[in-house]
Amino acid sequence: MKKNISTNALRALFYEAITGPKPGLVDPIDNSSHPDMDIYMFIDSSISLQNYLQEAEKVGHNFQDSDLTKMFTKLREKGLIAEKEMAQATNGINTHKGAIFALGICTCAESYVKQNGGNVFDIIRQMTHGLVEHDFKNLNDNQKLTAGQKQFLKYGLGGARQEAEAGYPIVEDVALPFLKNAKGDKRTRILDTFMKIASLTADSTLIKRAKTTNVIEEVQRDANHYLELGGFANEDARIFLNDLNKKFAQHKWSLGGCADLLIITIFFGLESDYL
Ligand SMILES: CC(C)(COP(=O)(O)OP(=O)(O)OC[C@H]1O[C@@H](n2cnc3c(N)ncnc32)[C@H](O)[C@@H]1O)[C@@H](O)C(=O)NCCC(=O)NCCS
Ligand SMILES: Nc1ncnc2c1ncn2[C@@H]1O[C@H](COP(=O)(O)OP(=O)(O)OP(=O)(O)O)[C@@H](O)[C@H]1O
């Protein structure tokens, strides 16, 4: 198989979608928290992003200026087009908005690094320098706001933008080393990595669904408990994960941001032959 950067980005979308059970997310067996989506839609949505991912790779490959925020600006223009292509493939459902953002950044940065050298997470920090301030400086309550914008005004949380601007520390420092050292088949390693991510993330999709930030501590505790039980290789942990899946379905909680962090962890894992 030709495994160029954008192919690995597409593989990451598929690897994440087919892995289950993922509490709060769509997988082939269960979509309880997202009744407007199913796994077939995720296949269509992923394929609709193929062109964008190739463009993101090209932007990183060809960029020459020393100001990497300009590379991010170029990428964002392509990201807006990708959002429209996704909407066409899904009948307007938001399957991959966060992934267009996060995976686009990582694909572009990885491609830049292959051409110019450097640490990919440093490059991401340079690309997104000042992003939170830039995007949120003119917000006010009279506008129609996204969940992320509302949470910035209400709680001071930076969400997906903050993670990017910090250079995805959950991925660089924890999830990627965790995936590298994880044991078992791909499903086990990916699920355990997902729960590791859930044990650390303040997910704006989860806060939106639960309508409180208190949910973050509860979910982080549950994710840690699953890992303490030994992860997917251990029967008690599997039972606990199924119960957690039911709890998420009952409350209609989602982990959309953790999904994106998992997708980019898988992407870097594929790039580094960890998977
Ligand atoms: C920053 C993005 C992800 C969305 O921001 P927006 O304010 O529209 O939505 P919101 O903040 O509610 O987040 C949307 C998604 O972010 C992801 N997310 C949530 N929390 C986190 C987190 N802690 N870490 C990473 N991702 C997260 C989830 O997928 C969520 O569904 C991006 O879509 C964006 O920049 N939108 C503006 C339009 C644009 O420039 N689009 C092109 C993007 S390349
Ligand atoms: N398997 C999955 N892979 C990736 N993301 C997933 C998956 N399942 C669910 N999601 C996430 O769910 C998010 C959508 O959640 P939600 O439906 O709450 O958002 P929305 O459509 O923007 O908001 P609303 O439904 O409030 O209008 C997607 O952006 C995506 O991140």
Side-chain angles (χ1 to χ4, degrees):
M1 195 199 329
K2 204 170 148 220
K3 291 180 186 166
N4 52 15
I5 298 170
S6 59
T7 307
N8 277 341
L10 190 63
R11 288 172 77 203
L13 292 173
F14 288 130
Y15 274 44
E16 182 274 329
I18 61 148
T19 302
K22 296 187 301 279
L25 296 177
V26 176
D27 59 52
I29 310 290
D30 176 37
N31 67 341
S32 320
S33 289
H34 293 275
D36 53 347
M37 309 174 186
D38 61 23
I39 191 66
Y40 304 101
M41 192 184 273
F42 270 91
I43 291 174
D44 292 343
S45 174
S46 303
I47 288 174
S48 81
L49 300 184
Q50 189 167 19
N51 180 48
Y52 164 66
L53 295 168
Q54 285 167 354
E55 291 287 324
E57 182 175 354
K58 264 191 226 155
V59 170
H61 185 271
N62 295 334
F63 191 78
Q64 295 198 328
D65 198 294
S66 60
D67 179 358
L68 294 185
T69 62
K70 290 186 186 151
M71 181 161 83
F72 177 62
T73 304
K74 273 194 180 183
L75 177 69
R76 250 185 161 181
E77 287 162 17
K78 314 256 179 217
L80 288 171
I81 299 167
E83 286 178 3
K84 294 202 178 85
E85 286 168 349
M86 173 192 78
Q88 268 172 11
T90 63
N91 250 326
I93 304 292
N94 163 23
T95 37
H96 278 133
K97 180 169 77 165
I100 289 172
F101 176 77
L103 188 57
I105 290 173
C106 293
T107 303
C108 180
E110 180 78 351
S111 178
Y112 180 88
V113 165
K114 287 245 164 101
Q115 197 63 11
N116 300 286
N119 171 301
V120 71
F121 297 100
D122 280 343
I123 297 301
I124 292 171
R125 281 183 277 273
Q126 289 179 47
M127 286 169 73
T128 56
H129 181 69
L131 176 62
V132 172
E133 204 203 328
H134 173 273
D135 275 19
F136 289 150
K137 67 176 176 247
N138 291 323
L139 288 186
N140 62 66
D141 284 326
N142 302 324
Q143 300 163 287
K144 188 177 179 300
L145 299 174
T146 64
Q149 291 169 329
K150 282 185 201 153
Q151 287 171 31
F152 181 76
L153 288 180
K154 192 164 177 194
Y155 309 115
L157 293 173
R161 295 168 178 84
Q162 175 61 49
E163 289 297 334
E165 190 170 349
Y168 295 111
I170 293 173
V171 176
E172 181 181 18
D173 300 337
V174 184
L176 200 51
F178 184 92
L179 178 64
K180 184 182 180 186
N181 294 321
K183 301 274 176 297
D185 58 16
K186 285 184 182 169
R187 180 187 186 191
T188 301
R189 284 181 281 153
I190 290 173
L191 278 175
D192 291 355
T193 304
F194 175 54
M195 294 310 277
K196 191 72 193 172
I197 289 168
S199 77
L200 295 163
T201 304
D203 190 321
S204 70
T205 317
L206 178 62
I207 297 170
K208 175 185 76 175
R209 291 287 185 100
K211 298 187 180 66
T212 168
T213 51
N214 296 340
V215 70
I216 296 298
E217 205 186 314
E218 179 177 343
V219 168
Q220 292 188 348
R221 211 179 319 116
D222 284 344
N224 274 320
H225 186 60
Y226 163 86
L227 293 166
E228 280 155 19
L229 288 172
F232 201 65
N234 182 291
E235 197 187 346
D236 289 342
R238 286 198 294 275
I239 293 168
F240 183 75
L241 189 62
N242 277 319
D243 289 345
L244 202 55
N245 208 25
K246 287 185 198 138
K247 178 170 161 183
F248 268 75
Q250 239 169 23
H251 293 295
K252 291 269 182 292
W253 287 349
S254 169
L255 286 172
C258 294
D260 299 335
L261 296 175
L262 180 63
I263 287 165
I264 65 175
T265 303
I266 294 172
F267 165 67
F268 287 122
L270 290 168
E271 281 289 293
S272 307
D273 283 329
Y274 298 163
L275 274 169

